[in-house]
Amino acid sequence: MIEIGIDVDLFHPAEMVWRAVTDPALLAKWFAEGTPQADQPDRLLLRTAGLPGFDADVEATVVERRAPALSVLDCREGATRTRLTLGIVPTGHGCRLRVHEVLVDGEWDAERQARRTEHHQQAVTVRLPAILDWLAFQRVDLRRAEGGLTAELPVVRLLGDVRTRTGRRRAGVIGGCLACLALAAGAAVWLTRPAPRIPEAAPQSTPLLLPTATSPTPRSTPSRTAPAAARSSDAPSPSPSPSSSSTPPPTPTTEPSGSPTPTVPLAARYQTVVDRMFGYRGEVVVSNPDGTEKSGWAVVVTLGAGATISGVSGAEWQQDGQVVTFTGPVVPAEGSTTFRFDVRNRDLRGTKAPEACTVDDSPCSVQ
């Protein structure tokens, strides 16, 4: 059975996510343009022809619908038919969206499945969260075809009962003046506000630093004691006696074999793979250059103040304040393991990367 499965944690309520995945106007913003059928409200034509992994437009028919938790669609695309399931599960910070598509009729080759999976991944983890962020801030006017950001001003409502046209005109002028004064005062407060205080970095912290090629990571080498026969002395050696001249010189003592081979520590590389309005998604690759597998590793990530973490895949994790500790499976010899995590910032001015990252007390590199 050929199938595609994607889970993503979203920092928005289930009702808002349900609207984004079922409203054709919103669906066109992050997935594909959809045209509802006037005589059949449960049918939708998705303009997917030309998108990665799609050969034609998709005729989607809703076969099960439980708002705001589940939507199951029968999708026909040329000679193929798939079953698409969208599940929404509330969580403590928002909800989790589960996208599952199964090929029912027809055939897919490996390349088409990979391209279709990548398209779904980008749509669900990048474009959909952006639309949800815009909806939360009410900065996108979805009624415009271009879908650009707009500066929506609050509606100023006048108090009092205005009964004549002259009175209404005078009240409108007064209300407009009051609105201008309020906007000007707000702008003055914004311009004269003190700059946010930037906390001083700890003097000994070296967040996310990687030793360069000119300063390689030092490796511990066990000390070796020279054999007694090979030691040198400042005192001259006595001349051999005539009786011992025929005696062959003693054989030098050889160094015992089996000295322990120094182990190579693990290395880690951090990368911000998705940048969002409310946070970001981080990725850490833990590499093992040694010839033996490694277990019991720990990656410690220090987040910005007030940031929270969720949606971790590929590792176990525990958060204590700003510090998050990740542990995971055995790293094979000369291999690597990868894990990802979502970070939710408290405000828009939050950083888009951790303040520090270490693997077994060694700093991570940054890509």
Side-chain angles (χ1 to χ4, degrees), residues 7 152 236:
D7 288 1
E152 297 183 357

Side-chain angles (χ1 to χ4, degrees), residues 62-326:
V62 178
V63 295
E64 186 176 357
R65 182 186 182 99
R66 297 201 308 266
L70 180 67
S71 178
V72 182
L73 298 93
D74 182 78
C75 301
R76 297 184 178 271
E77 178 194 354
T80 62
R81 184 168 69 93
T82 64
R83 179 62 58 92
L84 180 63
T85 303
L86 304 174
I88 303 175
V89 180
T91 60
H93 59 271
C95 66
R96 176 171 299 164
L97 174 63
R98 294 176 175 174
V99 180
H100 187 228
E101 186 175 19
V102 179
L103 181 62
V104 179
D105 293 327
E107 295 182 357
W108 282 352
D109 55 19
E111 180 181 359
R112 182 180 178 185
Q113 182 182 0
R115 295 173 60 205
R116 197 181 188 103
T117 302
E118 182 179 1
H119 177 269
H120 288 350
Q121 186 78 28
Q122 288 290 327
V124 171
T125 63
V126 179
R127 293 191 292 271
L128 175 59
I131 290 297
L132 293 172
D133 289 346
W134 291 343
L135 286 175
F137 273 85
Q138 298 181 355
R139 291 182 178 178
V140 60
D141 187 355
L142 297 173
R143 294 168 297 180
R144 296 190 178 185
E146 64 274 15
L149 295 177
T150 60
E152 297 183 357
L153 297 179
V155 178
V156 178
R157 298 181 179 177
L158 302 179
L159 301 178
D161 185 12
V162 182
R163 300 183 181 275
T164 64
R165 180 178 302 178
T166 304
R168 287 195 299 268
R169 185 177 304 173
R170 184 180 298 110
V173 173
I174 295 174
C177 294
L178 291 176
C180 293
L181 289 175
L183 292 175
V189 172
W190 173 264
L191 293 176
T192 58
R193 68 185 182 90
R197 181 180 179 184
I198 302 178
E200 298 181 357
Q204 297 180 353
S205 63
T206 55
L208 301 176
L209 295 181
L210 173 68
T212 61
T214 58
S215 59
T217 303
R219 299 180 181 179
S220 59
T221 305
S223 59
R224 299 178 179 176
T225 304
R231 295 178 183 172
S232 61
S233 174
D234 295 337
S237 58
S239 301
S241 60
S243 61
S244 62
S245 59
S246 60
T247 304
T251 303
T253 304
T254 58
E255 182 180 357
S257 59
S259 300
T261 303
T263 59
V264 183
L266 294 174
R269 183 186 75 249
Y270 171 81
Q271 179 184 4
T272 298
V273 293
V274 178
D275 187 352
R276 297 170 178 155
M277 183 177 296
F278 286 111
Y280 58 93
R281 168 170 289 188
E283 177 187 84
V284 175
V285 179
V286 181
S287 303
N288 180 16
D290 201 0
T292 58
E293 63 181 19
K294 298 289 182 65
S295 61
W297 55 269
V299 172
V300 179
V301 173
T302 304
L303 305 177
T308 56
I309 197 169
S310 67
V312 180
S313 60
E316 301 293 331
W317 63 281
Q318 182 177 3
Q319 182 171 1
D320 184 10
Q322 295 181 234
V323 179
V324 185
T325 302
F326 298 92

